[in-house]
Amino acid sequence: MPQATTLLLRALLVFTAVFACSTRANAAAYVVKHCAELEGQSVPASVIGLPTRGATILSASVVAAAAPKNRNGEYCRVVGVIKAELDTTPDIRFEVNLPALWNGRALQMGGGGYNGSIVSGTEPAAFAPYASPLSTGYATFGSDSGHVGNSGRADFAMNDEAVVNFGYGHLKKTHDVALALIMMGYGRKPEQTYFAGGSTGGREAFTVIERYPDDYDGVIANAPAINFSGVRLMGVKVGQAAYGTPGGTLGPVQQKRVFETVLHECDGLDGVVDGIVSNVEACRKHEPQIIAQLRCASGQRPSLRDSCLSEAQLATLEVLRDGFTLPYELAYGVTKFYGYNVFQGVDFSSGLGLGNSPVLTQPLTFDADGYLFTQGDSYMKYFVTHDPRFNTLGFDVDHPGIYKSRLVDLSSTVGAMNPDISEFLAHGGKLITMHGLADEVISPNQTIAFYQSLVAKYGQSIVDSFMRLYMVPGFQHGNGVFIPAWDELGALDRWVTMNIAPETLLGTDIASATNGRTRPLCRYPGYPKYLGRGNLNNASSFRCENP
């Protein structure tokens, strides 16, 4: 048996024996007292569920409760690396934080974008906005997913092992190393282990449900990029409509006018004019007159000073609205990507929008060329073709030729569209998903469609027994006219540990212009409707109503 394996197993046996009859407080005190002893230790590859060359602890130190800027109480901070199989592949950098006042639970944190930096759980998060999970007693851990740097270029994807790590490998590898360290620190496994993340982290959340269902008791998956290949190919199609068609780009003034026109038509459909399009389904019926108001009059041509839209510009928006259906299948039989609520309240002029340049820039940037196309272009260059000079505008998404098998393989490696979650159900796991109906990056309609596929497969009562879906009006991809703060982690924990299933919840707006107003967060398909009386800024003046 290798020496590292012998040392770890010996440590686990000693710590387990020491704490078999000890209190939680004694175990927590031990982890702080002996924190520094973890430095230099190894976690052997034999205890990691996917192939690696083991993990090494680079540093382990106590962060004092009174340390500058520390709001987490006393904890042991452990940083290390998980060695890749190949020398040419970057290691996975990780961090595990073991609080002195441990609540017996562990939380793995998902990343964002292309990851590239260590996620640790030492700061408040979207799903736990009022206090960091670490400060409330969770042992927290996360990684950089196996590469350094989160840029739109995604050049790490030239390395196939790094792509596997980004897609799913880092999740299992980091989990197993962290659980070994928790055992070493406290002498026992967590009573509950959770996963939480948004966007890429939301895709990772569904990934662990589908691939590693027995590892997690509860999962939070917000704005999940589950159809990763779909959203990147959507970006390609949007870029081709905008830049591959003469006059297809929309300027910021025009993008803003789309949003303002939709507000004028649809804001009041929930019973009150408050800057939020809440009744999205009713708003869809107003789409023809919205488009008519946006269209340039006969003979009129849009300019920088004129916010009307040409037929080419409207066609770009319609590509966004309609999504696409492929003539071939990606992994798990996926052929469709569902489009965005372009004419139901998405503000593409704010946040991660459609760009502001009428011609392509080199290199592409989010601000100039739009987030969706810039990311789609990087996907084609680095994930699919491994050719940084590839001409994405000339790529035929419907007939990808020699790249078809690569697209199919990637949709399995980086994606979470497998509807078979029977093992997570058997494990008794719980899932809370939240998505903004005005999301301009990850289509909320894709999340709704996946939820509906689960209902079709398992039945509504079964889905209700393990999943809650909250679709939030006015919320975009981290920004928007309504940005909810709510204790999602607390709701999940109560569901798992006390069997208190979440129903209508309270969201507090943290958007700068309307900070502090509250709204009910309604279970899908409900939306908040004004009662016709009461303070517009209080959730009590609204009720959840189905469209």
Side-chain angles (χ1 to χ4, degrees), residues 419 448-458:
I448 291 171
F450 190 77
Y451 169 82
Q452 291 172 336
S453 75
L454 295 179
V455 172
K457 182 177 179 67
Y458 297 102

Side-chain angles (χ1 to χ4, degrees), residues 275-313:
I276 304 173
V277 177
S278 291
N279 193 348
V280 167
E281 293 309 312
C283 186
R284 295 193 197 284
K285 299 176 183 178
H286 291 246
E287 191 168 301
Q289 53 262 45
I290 291 170
I291 293 175
Q293 292 178 56
L294 294 171
R295 179 177 280 116
C296 291
S298 178
Q300 184 182 11
R301 300 182 65 181
S303 68
L304 293 177
R305 297 182 180 180
D306 193 341
S307 57
C308 76
L309 272 62
S310 69
E311 294 301 322
Q313 291 169 328

Side-chain angles (χ1 to χ4, degrees), residues 289-479:
Q289 53 262 45
I290 291 170
I291 293 175
Q293 292 178 56
L294 294 171
R295 179 177 280 116
C296 291
S298 178
Q300 184 182 11
R301 300 182 65 181
S303 68
L304 293 177
R305 297 182 180 180
D306 193 341
S307 57
C308 76
L309 272 62
S310 69
E311 294 301 322
Q313 291 169 328
L314 286 171
T316 297
L317 294 182
E318 288 165 358
V319 168
L320 264 174
R321 176 199 64 192
D322 295 340
F324 60 82
T325 300
L326 298 173
Y328 54 92
E329 291 185 353
L330 299 176
Y332 310 113
V334 171
T335 60
K336 187 172 179 62
F337 181 81
Y338 292 79
Y340 297 77
N341 294 326
V342 176
F343 302 112
Q344 290 81 38
V346 181
D347 185 359
F348 281 104
S349 69
S350 66
L352 300 171
L354 292 176
N356 57 33
S357 175
V359 295
L360 284 178
T361 64
Q362 292 298 331
L364 303 185
T365 67
F366 296 161
D367 287 343
D369 309 286
Y371 178 86
L372 289 175
F373 181 57
T374 300
Q375 293 286 40
D377 181 64
S378 291
Y379 178 70
M380 291 305 306
K381 283 180 166 65
Y382 299 107
F383 278 85
V384 179
T385 68
H386 289 179
D387 179 4
R389 297 172 298 177
F390 184 78
N391 176 23
T392 300
L393 285 181
F395 178 66
D396 188 342
V397 172
D398 291 337
H399 304 93
I402 61 172
Y403 299 115
K404 178 181 174 181
S405 61
R406 178 65 176 166
L407 288 173
V408 174
D409 289 344
L410 282 170
S411 66
S412 174
T413 303
V414 190
M417 291 292 288
N418 185 357
D420 184 0
I421 56 170
S422 54
E423 291 185 35
F424 188 68
L425 281 170
H427 181 67
K430 306 299 182 186
L431 165 66
I432 299 178
T433 298
M434 183 270 286
H435 206 146
L437 284 165
D439 196 322
E440 78 279 31
V441 174
I442 307 299
S443 172
N445 299 313
Q446 180 68 73
T447 298
I448 291 171
F450 190 77
Y451 169 82
Q452 291 172 336
S453 75
L454 295 179
V455 172
K457 182 177 179 67
Y458 297 102
Q460 189 68 60
S461 62
I462 296 296
V463 173
D464 287 346
S465 72
F466 80 93
M467 182 178 184
R468 290 292 184 270
L469 175 61
Y470 296 88
M471 304 302 297
V472 182
F475 185 38
Q476 297 198 196
H477 204 72
N479 64 318

